[in-house]
Structure formats: structure tokens, C-alpha cells
Amino acid sequence: MANDIWGVADLLRGDYKRHEYGQVILPFTLLRRLDAVMASTRQAVRDRNASLDIQNKQRLLEIAAKLPFYNTSNQDFASVAADSTNVAKNLRDYINGFSPNVRTILSRFDLDNQITRLAGAKILYLVLGRFAAMRDLEKLSNHDMGYVFEHLIRKFAEDSNETAGEHFTPREIIKLMVNLLIAPDAETVAGEGQVINILDPACGTGGILTAAEDHIKSINPKAEVYLFGQEVNAESWAVCESDMLMRFQRGTIHFGNSFSDDGFPGRKFDYMLANPPFGVDWKKVKDAVEAEAELGHAGRFGAGTPRINDGSFLFLQHMISKMEPVEGKGSRLAIVFNGSPLFTGAAGSGESEIRRWILENDLLEGIVALPDQLFYNTGISTYFWILSNRKAAELRDKVILLDARDQWEKMRKSLGDKRKQISDDQIKHITELYVDALKVAEDPTHADHGKIKIFRTRDFGYRRITVERPLKLRFEITDDTLAILADAKALAKWDGRDALIAALREVVGSVWWSKKEATNALHAAVVAGGAAWPRGATLTKSFWAAVSVSDPEGEVQKDKDGNVLPDPDLRDYENIPLDEDIDTYFAREVTPHVPDAWIDYEKTKVGYEIPFTRHFYVYTPPRPLAEIDAELRELETQIQKLLSEVMG
């Protein structure tokens, strides 16, 4: 059905560019779906509307429609498509007959301007006719209609060169994420009187939200589930909002940017899930984000801000700020990230400080590595981060790492960059591994023992020390030295530069191994040449920078207080695990190699990173040379045979 709908693009070709097709196809698909769903009660709504002589008819008309929306127009798709002369006028009349909630949704598509453009191109009647001829739209479940919309949006996104990971999460990924999030709470969810609030702050067309509700309902059909979402893309928001209407879904979908326009200030949620765009920049909302970050933990970004070109950790902090207090029910959340948030940023950087805050507050429960090539417009590897402020007692101060990169099967037909999928059996297997992670990690005989590792939260922390070595210099005058002095910006405006350089030409080739000797000899040469000695901090610094050369055999340089000066070019850094003594590590790993090195303790910083791949690396020895040689000889034989056949 999605491919049939996308076939309307044949009519748009020429008058619309490829990346513009979705601006017509998406709103008309939605309009046709609404038209089909309302068909059975259309006349009842018209009759009820004609019989009412009051201002506020909305609730009574919804009852007549047996839907949370209605249309009072005498038009429908069939009647509009039957009148080629007045198609634009009748279509607008039909749209204006919708209830206010649907008109708001349609306005996000800028549909009125599209009607004008289609009419001007003389293809509005043809496009409307194609949609009017479509059948069975009312028979599709909301779940299946979601597939249709998401397929269309995927096509639209591909033609628009959208950001990797944006718009659409494959359903099996959603199912796995929901399973991992809710599985540990299955008994609680199955209890009586459950009222559950779920948030997705980057909800797209709402697939993650509806899958979460379906899963909860499969555990407890009596549970009352409220879905809340936020979406910045107008078309995706409109599709999501319409889906919520047709599901009779309780909750709210807010239109706006989650970073700068919090749609749910002060609200807390039981579960949160999100697949935000990978590597999305937040330059446009920089002022709003930084203003809130200045509020500290009274705002949403108290742990710090990441790089401007990757807002992943802003989404995560936003979600953490919406967690129910642990004194109440607490919360669990899952978010899809690429590999960058695991390790990007050195100690003291925004990303490292955010990881530090999450781990030191024991919010991170686990990370699950997924196969690559799972998403439609990117083939990169991805990870689920699962956080909770009510971790089980046995998981406190611990983090689960689960390597599920081998849990995939090849798709029969690729869809964009998506060439792999995770089967239902694999979803079940991964979920069980996660729930039983501690047991699997403790059992070396378990078949998947190597896929699970349990770490303490402190294991991801380290202290970054600065290792300094003494600055050792020799001093010399060469032609290069004089060229450096001639080009030095600090000396450019000094009247004595040229005379100084001329005086120093007399000692070209001289080398001194102590600064005192160099000072005496150079001063004598300058005086003998009738030049002035450079005075002032700026001129002096520039002069000595030109005549000094780093040399392992040179003199150790000291400041005026007698402290050894460090050589910036020899400066190095070491990352030391939090639980290891710095001096012990230094004596073991550094001193034997560079005995004159020391630690600048004032520059020590604490950092956190999660080197997932390193923890699961398995060394594979190279093949024996004899085997490789044999293979090459076999290939040479085959090539010679083929060449002889070609040459006759």
C-alpha cells in the first residue's frame, strides 16, 4: 500500500522536485485515511450537526462520529474528486469541515499552499483522483497504518538527505528496546490498578510510544497507559498526532524543540524511550540551552553541555530530569545512541562530566551493543543505554555491558542502508540475557558468558595526570636564528632589531651549553656591534625563543625561584584508574622509562569513558604464512588458466 501511495509521485514529477514529494503525499495520505475511517458515521454527523442550534457542538458531534474527531462538510473525497471544475474550492470546504484538532494537524503540513500549487500546475484533480481511488485504508489497523506512514516518511527522508538516524526507528529495534526497558518490571506492570505515563521527547511518528503501550497492554490489558511525546518536525508531529486521535489515545504530543521548548515542564514519567537523531547539533538553541545549564540542577542540563555538534547528552539529561523521584515509583528509560557518547571528550570536557554525573549517581543500569546496518539511512553501530533511579539491589553501583552485535539475520531485500534485522527469537534471547545478566556473568560455562560483563561504576572513571619533563636547552646563533629574529612579530616594531641582527652576525656558528655563558657572550657581541640589548618581557621572550634549542644534553632551565621549568613539547598524559594510587602507578609505568619526569598535580582531572569495544575485543591471530602463500599460488594458477583461455 505504501508503494502504491508513493506512486502518486509520477504525477508530481516535473512540477515538484524529488525532495518535495512528501509535502503532498503525506498530508493527502492522512486526509484519505481520515476520510476512510469516518465513512461509516459521516451521515450521522451531518444529521446531528443540522439538528443542533447551539455554539458548542464538539462533544455531541464526536459522539455521533464515534471518534475523537469529525467532519461536518457535505463533501467527501468521492464528491470532491467527482467535480473537476471546482476541485480546489470543494477540497478546501471539506478540510474546513473538520473538527479543530484535525485542522491543527493539517495546518502543520501547510496544506492550503500545496492545494494552490497543485491547482496552478493543473494536477490537483489528478492527484485527488488517485487518492480517492485507493481502497481498504479504513481496514488497516493503526499499527499497520503506522508502517505505511513510516515507510513514506523514510522515502521522504532519503530524498531529503536527512540526518543519519532521523525520523524512523525499525519496529524490531523498538520492540527490543521496549522489552529491555519493561522486562525487569513485568510483575509490577501486571499488578492491579496500574496507571503508567510514558514519554518520548523525540517521538517522530510515535512508533516507539505505541509499541510501548502495546507491550504493556500485552502484560496487563487493564493498565491505563498515557502517552506523551514531543517532536520538532511538523510532518512527523502531524502523523503522530493523527495516529493518537485514531487510537483514542490518552496523553499529549507537543510540537516543538525539546531543548528550548520543554513541552512538559514539571511532569514526571514512569518510562521514557527515545531514538534521537545521531549527532544533531544544537547551535540554533544554544542561548536557551546555556541559560538553562546555568541554573545547575534546578534546570535540565545541570551536569553540563556537550559539544555543539552533538546534542545526544542533552536528550538524555532532559529525560533524566523527568524521572519520577525514587522515593515514589522511580523511573526507567532507554535511549538509542551511536558510539560517540561512550567515549567522546577528554577528562574535564562536557561529555566526560555528564558521564561522570550519570555514573557517580548510579543511574546507568546497562548498555547493549547492537549490530550495524539496522537503520534505514545509516549503517553505523548503535547502542541502547538503559538508565534507572531504582536499580535492583544486586545491581547497585554496577553496570551491565551486553554485546549483542552478533544477534541479527540478513534481510531478504535491503531497505536503504538497512541490510540486517533482529528476529523475534533473537529479541527474546537478548532480553533474557539482559534480565539474567548477573547469573550469566558469574557462570563461565554459560554459552553466552563472553557476551556479558559486569563493571562497577567506578571502573569507568580515571584520573588524567599531566607528566612533565624538564626543559633542556642549548643556545646558538645560526643563519636560521637570525631569520627567526627577522620574522618575529614581537621585534617587528622595535627600532633596534636590524642593528641587533647585524651585531649577532659576528658570532654565527657559536654554541653555548648554559644560559649564563650565552648571556655573557651575546651581550658582549651586541655591545661590540653598537646595538641595543632587547629590554622588556615581550622582547626578551622573543629573543631567547630564537636563540635557544631543545636538546637532551642541554642545561636544565629553571624559573627565578629555582623551580625546574617543564618542556611543553615533551608533555605527556596518563589515564590512571580511580582505584589505583597515582604515585604507585607512576613509579611502575613512567619512572623506569623517563627518570627525570614528574607529575603536575594541579592539572590532574577526573574523567569517565566507557570503552565498550575494548572490553569485548577478542584477539584473532593472523593466518600462517604458509597458508597465505598456498592460497596466492592457487589464485595465480587460476589467473594463468583464465588468461590462457582468453588468449587462445
Side-chain angles (χ1 to χ4, degrees):
M1 183 170 284
N3 287 332
D4 185 41
I5 293 170
W6 193 258
V8 174
D10 294 336
L11 298 174
L12 303 177
R13 194 169 290 115
D15 296 295
Y16 280 77
K17 296 177 181 177
R18 278 188 65 85
H19 71 273
E20 295 177 317
Y21 293 168
Q23 297 171 18
V24 174
I25 291 173
L26 289 175
F28 273 84
T29 302
L30 174 58
L31 205 55
R32 182 67 182 91
R33 163 73 165 169
L34 294 172
D35 183 75
V37 169
M38 294 185 302
S40 61
T41 59
R42 181 177 286 119
Q43 193 56 48
V45 169
R46 291 170 179 167
D47 294 343
R48 189 71 174 119
N49 183 52
S51 69
L52 293 172
D53 190 20
I54 56 175
Q55 289 292 322
N56 191 5
K57 305 177 182 180
Q58 184 168 335
R59 183 59 191 142
L60 295 173
L61 294 176
E62 287 175 358
I63 293 170
K66 299 179 181 178
L67 294 164
F69 58 91
Y70 55 83
N71 190 307
T72 58
S73 169
N74 288 324
Q75 302 287 348
D76 57 29
F77 248 74
S79 65
V80 173
D83 186 353
S84 60
T85 307
N86 300 301
V87 61
K89 174 178 174 295
N90 291 342
L91 180 56
R92 286 191 170 100
D93 178 71
Y94 177 54
I95 292 170
N96 290 332
F98 274 106
S99 50
N101 49 4
V102 173
R103 290 204 303 274
T104 299
I105 292 170
L106 294 174
S107 70
R108 298 293 184 200
F109 288 110
D110 195 22
L111 187 54
D112 193 70
N113 283 335
Q114 297 305 328
I115 292 172
T116 300
R117 184 174 174 182
L118 290 166
K122 302 189 185 313
I123 56 174
L124 176 60
Y125 177 69
L126 296 174
V127 169
L128 199 73
R130 284 285 291 271
F131 277 99
M134 293 177 187
R135 296 290 176 262
D136 300 328
L137 277 167
E138 75 284 358
K139 295 178 182 178
L140 284 182
S141 68
N142 288 317
H143 182 79
D144 288 336
M145 196 64 205
Y147 276 125
V148 172
F149 276 121
E150 287 173 347
H151 180 77
L152 293 173
I153 285 177
R154 179 180 66 80
K155 293 279 291 180
F156 185 26
E158 285 176 356
D159 290 335
S160 301
N161 294 316
E162 293 286 355
T163 303
E166 194 162 334
H167 283 304
F168 181 34
T169 310
R171 285 300 171 114
E172 84 270 17
I173 307 303
I174 296 173
K175 185 175 180 180
L176 175 58
M177 181 162 56
V178 172
N179 278 19
L180 292 171
L181 188 67
I182 295 174
D185 290 350
E187 291 184 9
T188 304
V189 170
E192 291 291 327
Q194 289 295 307
V195 179
I196 298 172
N197 298 310
I198 304 175
L199 170 70
D200 180 350
C203 66
T205 59
I208 291 178
L209 286 171
T210 55
E213 184 195 29
D214 291 343
H215 188 70
I216 289 172
K217 289 286 191 181
S218 71
I219 298 172
N220 183 356
K222 294 182 180 179
E224 293 187 33
V225 182
Y226 292 80
L227 302 183
F228 299 84
Q230 183 155 351
E231 176 55 39
V232 70
N233 179 279
E235 291 89 352
S236 296
W237 176 89
V239 171
C240 182
E241 181 72 1
S242 64
D243 188 35
M244 295 299 149
L245 275 179
M246 285 183 274
R247 288 173 64 98
F248 294 82
Q249 183 62 55
R250 290 175 289 187
T252 305
I253 308 299
H254 183 77
F255 178 67
N257 189 308
S258 290
F259 298 163
S260 58
D261 176 22
D262 182 1
F264 309 100
R267 287 208 69 138
K268 305 295 180 182
F269 301 90
D270 303 299
Y271 296 103
M272 287 169 274
L273 307 97
N275 176 22
F278 303 144
V280 64
D281 75 59
W282 46 281
K283 194 178 299 178
K284 292 181 180 178
V285 293
K286 180 175 181 285
D287 292 343
V289 169
E290 291 182 343
E292 183 146 0
E294 289 177 4
L295 299 174
H297 291 291
R300 293 173 292 150
F301 310 122
T305 55
R307 293 165 301 147
I308 197 75
N309 62 350
D310 188 355
S312 299
F313 273 140
L314 293 181
F315 276 109
L316 182 53
Q317 287 189 82
H318 171 75
M319 295 167 76
I320 291 172
S321 75
K322 305 289 181 191
M323 281 182 153
E324 284 277 4
V326 69
E327 296 79 14
K329 294 193 293 184
S331 297
R332 291 174 59 77
L333 69 86
I335 189 167
V336 184
F337 280 156
N338 61 11
S340 178
L342 291 169
F343 53 80
T344 299
S349 67
E351 288 90 348
S352 178
E353 287 300 290
I354 294 168
R355 285 191 293 268
R356 177 180 181 177
W357 177 74
I358 290 169
L359 287 160
E360 288 185 349
N361 284 279
D362 197 20
L363 292 172
L364 183 61
E365 180 181 283
I367 296 177
V368 179
L370 302 174
D372 58 6
Q373 300 179 33
L374 285 178
F375 290 84
Y376 295 97
N377 56 346
T378 178
I380 63 175
S381 297
T382 50
Y383 301 81
F384 287 151
W385 286 44
I386 300 166
L387 285 79
S388 175
N389 60 357
R390 51 178 173 83
K391 290 164 69 171
E394 61 271 20
L395 278 174
R396 295 215 179 116
D397 296 317
K398 294 185 177 68
V399 176
I400 300 167
L401 298 188
L402 193 165
D403 185 3
R405 288 175 293 180
D406 63 344
Q407 296 295 299
W408 59 274
E409 60 182 25
K410 192 171 182 63
M411 295 179 64
R412 286 181 295 177
K413 181 182 178 182
S414 297
L415 289 172
D417 289 318
K418 182 174 175 61
R419 298 177 179 87
K420 299 176 182 177
Q421 63 186 12
I422 303 176
S423 68
D424 286 344
D425 287 342
Q426 289 166 335
I427 289 172
K428 183 173 181 289
H429 179 63
I430 296 169
T431 305
E432 290 172 350
L433 272 182
Y434 187 82
V435 172
D436 297 330
L438 289 176
K439 294 178 183 177
V440 175
E442 292 171 359
D443 181 6
T445 64
H446 194 285
D448 290 298
H449 174 73
K451 300 297 181 184
I452 297 278
K453 294 188 184 296
I454 308 295
F455 291 91
R456 297 175 307 151
T457 53
R458 286 179 60 82
D459 291 338
F460 301 115
Y462 62 90
R463 278 169 292 194
R464 183 176 176 84
I465 63 169
T466 302
V467 179
E468 300 283 16
R469 295 177 63 188
L471 178 63
K472 297 180 180 181
L473 299 176
R474 73 173 190 270
F475 306 89
E476 63 184 25
I477 298 295
T478 64
D479 290 335
D480 289 341
T481 303
L482 300 181
I484 292 171
L485 287 171
D487 292 337
K489 290 183 179 180
L491 300 173
K493 296 182 179 179
W494 181 48
D495 294 339
R497 183 189 66 176
D498 294 339
L500 174 69
I501 293 172
L504 293 177
R505 288 191 190 281
E506 298 301 318
V507 289
V508 168
S510 301
V511 178
W512 303 274
W513 291 94
S514 75
K515 192 170 185 178
K516 184 177 181 180
E517 291 175 353
T519 302
N520 292 336
L522 290 169
H523 195 273
V526 169
V527 171
W533 185 261
R535 303 288 182 184
T538 303
L539 295 181
T540 301
K541 182 178 179 181
S542 183
F543 174 78
W544 283 110
V547 302
S548 59
V549 179
S550 181
D551 190 320
E553 304 299 323
E555 179 188 45
V556 174
Q557 303 301 300
K558 298 180 180 181
D559 62 18
K560 61 182 180 179
D561 297 322
N563 299 313
V564 176
L565 292 172
D567 187 340
D569 293 332
L570 298 179
R571 184 172 294 140
D572 201 0
Y573 303 93
E574 293 281 338
N575 292 344
I576 303 174
L578 284 181
D579 290 335
E580 183 160 2
D581 181 73
I582 290 177
D583 294 320
T584 302
Y585 175 94
F586 190 80
R588 184 183 71 246
E589 301 291 342
V590 179
T591 302
H593 307 287
V594 279
D596 57 357
W598 74 91
I599 301 171
D600 187 342
Y601 289 96
E602 292 184 358
K603 295 179 181 177
T604 299
K605 296 179 180 179
V606 174
Y608 276 82
E609 66 177 16
I610 306 171
F612 194 104
T613 306
R614 187 199 309 164
H615 290 307
F616 289 95
Y617 173 75
V618 178
Y619 173 71
T620 304
R623 291 188 297 158
L625 286 175
E627 182 182 322
I628 297 173
D629 285 339
E631 186 176 318
L632 288 173
R633 283 193 294 272
E634 173 64 24
L635 288 171
E636 287 175 357
T637 302
Q638 292 178 18
I639 291 169
Q640 289 296 333
K641 182 180 178 182
L642 290 170
L643 285 173
S644 64
E645 291 176 0
V646 172
M647 301 299 291

